[in-house]
Amino acid sequence: MSKPATAAVGVAPQRRPVYLDYQATTPTDPRVVAEMLPFFTEKFGNPHSEGHAFGREAEEAVETARRQVADLIGAEAREIVFTSGATESNNLALKGLAGFYGEGRDHIVTVATEHKCVLETVRQLEREGFSATFLPVAADGLIDPAAVAATLTGRTLAVSVMAANNEIGVVQPLAEIGRICRERQVFFHTDAAQAAGEIPLNVGAMNVDLMSLTAHKMYGPMGIGALYVRRRPRVRLAPQMSGGGQERGMRSGTLPAPLCVGFGAACSLAAAGMEAESRRLGRLRDRFLDRLRARLDGVSVNGSLTARLPGNLNLGFAGIGGENPIGRLPDLALSTGSACTSASLEPSHVLTAIGVEEPLIRTAIRFSVGRTTTEEEVDYAAGRVAEEVEALRRRSPA
Ligand SMILES: *Cc1c(COP(=O)(O)O)cnc(C)c1O
């Protein structure tokens, strides 16, 4: 084979930036990759080919993975439907409910700070004749369970509230909302893409009927996720894809066995290490904030600091004229929090919903640490952020 064209002449090898964007995606854990590899090559069977050993071998591996995913959230294996990720799971949950039960139950309740794939799904259902309530959140990013209860009517089909927010990391009171939904016989869906593997989740204790998961936010591969679909009491969904009727008729298509295996392995690893890792991430997160505040005044934390994922911070900086420091920090892989913010200059709908004002909203940085983050990286990052914010302040008219 010839040399790859990217080994360009005269380009000095660059040091890679410090990765602090684990809420956008996580690296696939090497232990997960090792589990996956045989399923690309020697164990390549179609898991739906039951007639021969190749198929059965792949099928067994997929069913083991299904049990591993189920175990992470206190579900039964047969309640797990594999999908391509949380976007598909959220679409299947809400459009699937609407398609099956929508006749007469045409009201959906969700929250202003949900991920775009939930908000856009609900808006699509509105265009099809459903009515929707987009609940506001308090300044700390949390919703009030009593406000959920107050919106429910005899026509309400479902409540969809994310477990943890992808921008500000706040963790919603799922158990309280679940109890209300169960009492009122309304389906409860939660987008747990950010929370799964990071904090304990239990579909039984939380009365969750549908839960969306994705592997690539928890050290598994991209392109695989799951939807938990409760069996008792039974939740039914109209499939969104026509085909061979795989996944108990809810999601047709050949299951990607290597990805399923990787997702399962990622769930097992996350469950085994959750407690210790959660404490470690919390310490790294606090260390970053302490170091920053030791050098800088006017650093605000967006969203509750207590009801929050251990590895997340979302910060605003006063006195820098609304400029975002990320532009001056090419050595740090940080995010403004929402994928569309930088491209469209549209302020984050999450920060808008919690009442962050201009020009502070434009200064927001989402900082997220993960499995491979070290203390040295956190200290370096805190120093660099402080340095660039100080530089902006010297330049900015007081
Ligand atoms: C990443 C994310 C999604 C989308 O998940 P994909 O698997 O990338 O489609 C949905 N919701 C939340 C909260 C997320 O963080």
Side-chain angles (χ1 to χ4, degrees):
M1 281 242 244
S2 59
K3 275 187 189 163
T6 46
V9 196
V11 177
Q14 296 265 313
R15 214 177 135 219
R16 306 253 291 160
V18 176
Y19 190 75
L20 295 165
D21 201 13
Y22 285 82
Q23 282 184 284
T25 196
T26 53
T28 308
D29 191 298
R31 293 166 290 182
V32 168
V33 176
E35 297 278 328
M36 290 170 67
L37 284 177
F39 291 89
F40 287 104
T41 50
E42 70 265 30
K43 302 182 181 182
F44 59 84
N46 182 325
H48 312 293
S49 300
E50 285 157 22
H52 52 67
F54 288 88
R56 284 193 295 272
E57 176 177 63
E59 193 210 358
E60 262 173 45
V62 165
E63 294 314 312
T64 299
R66 197 186 298 283
R67 201 161 50 244
Q68 290 169 317
V69 174
D71 285 347
L72 181 69
I73 59 169
E76 288 174 35
R78 56 194 180 152
E79 295 175 308
I80 299 299
V81 172
F82 284 116
T83 65
S84 62
T87 298
E88 185 188 338
S89 296
N90 288 335
N91 272 266
L92 175 58
L94 297 172
K95 292 176 182 170
L97 282 176
F100 198 90
Y101 300 98
E103 207 86 13
R105 294 179 70 185
D106 55 3
H107 175 227
I108 294 173
V109 178
T110 188
V111 186
T113 51
E114 292 292 309
H115 193 273
K116 289 279 181 188
C117 63
V118 167
L119 295 174
E120 289 306 319
T121 297
V122 174
R123 288 194 189 112
Q124 175 59 30
L125 290 170
E126 276 188 299
R127 285 190 287 273
E128 293 169 16
F130 283 78
S131 70
T133 302
F134 296 90
L135 287 170
V137 294
D140 61 4
L142 298 173
I143 61 166
D144 176 6
V148 176
T151 62
L152 303 181
T153 75
R155 297 188 75 89
T156 306
L157 171 62
V159 170
S160 180
V161 177
M162 70 200 323
N165 187 271
N166 48 297
E167 292 189 38
I168 57 176
V170 300
V171 177
Q172 299 292 358
L174 291 193
E176 285 85 340
I177 299 164
R179 195 172 331 110
I180 292 163
C181 290
R182 184 55 58 86
E183 271 169 25
R184 304 284 294 270
Q185 298 192 348
V186 169
F187 293 116
F188 180 33
H189 166 249
T190 186
D191 173 358
Q194 291 290 342
E198 186 111 347
I199 57 172
L201 293 172
N202 187 292
V203 291
M206 292 170 162
N207 283 310
V208 170
D209 295 307
L210 295 147
M211 179 183 281
S212 301
L213 305 170
T214 188
H216 79 93
K217 306 272 176 79
M218 46 180 293
Y219 309 92
M222 283 178 173
I224 180 98
L227 180 64
Y228 157 77
V229 185
R230 176 175 291 283
R231 278 178 73 90
R232 276 187 305 261
R234 186 160 179 210
V235 178
R236 308 194 61 182
L237 300 176
Q240 300 300 301
M241 204 111 71
S242 306
Q246 288 92 346
E247 298 300 87
R248 294 191 290 127
M250 284 184 271
R251 205 278 194 172
S252 285
T254 302
L255 286 175
L259 300 182
C260 294
V261 166
F263 187 15
C267 287
S268 286
L269 287 173
M274 196 182 299
E275 253 187 71
E277 182 62 359
S278 173
R279 276 194 300 276
R280 192 185 74 89
L281 295 182
R283 279 197 302 270
L284 288 174
R285 189 264 311 273
D286 294 345
R287 183 180 175 103
F288 178 80
L289 186 58
D290 290 348
R291 296 215 147 203
L292 212 53
R293 282 187 159 158
R295 263 180 77 172
L296 295 174
D297 294 326
V299 179
S300 47
V301 176
N302 296 318
S304 167
L305 200 45
T306 46
R308 193 179 194 107
L309 295 175
N312 164 279
L313 273 180
N314 188 303
L315 302 173
F317 300 91
I320 58 174
E323 189 163 330
N324 196 298
I326 290 178
R328 304 170 64 103
L329 294 161
D331 46 341
L332 304 180
L334 286 163
S335 156
T336 57
S338 65
C340 52
T341 305
S342 45
S344 67
L345 297 175
E346 186 189 312
S348 147
H349 71 285
V350 174
L351 299 183
T352 304
I354 64 171
V356 182
E357 288 186 32
E358 289 282 358
L360 213 54
I361 199 164
R362 280 181 279 129
T363 70
I365 291 183
R366 177 179 69 184
F367 166 91
S368 49
V369 290
R371 200 171 279 173
T372 53
T373 308
T374 63
E375 262 182 18
E376 292 69 37
E377 288 179 325
V378 163
D379 293 352
Y380 175 76
R384 286 287 295 124
V385 172
E387 193 172 289
E388 294 304 333
V389 170
E390 279 165 351
L392 284 169
R393 283 183 179 162
R394 280 194 299 274
R395 227 185 50 184
S396 181

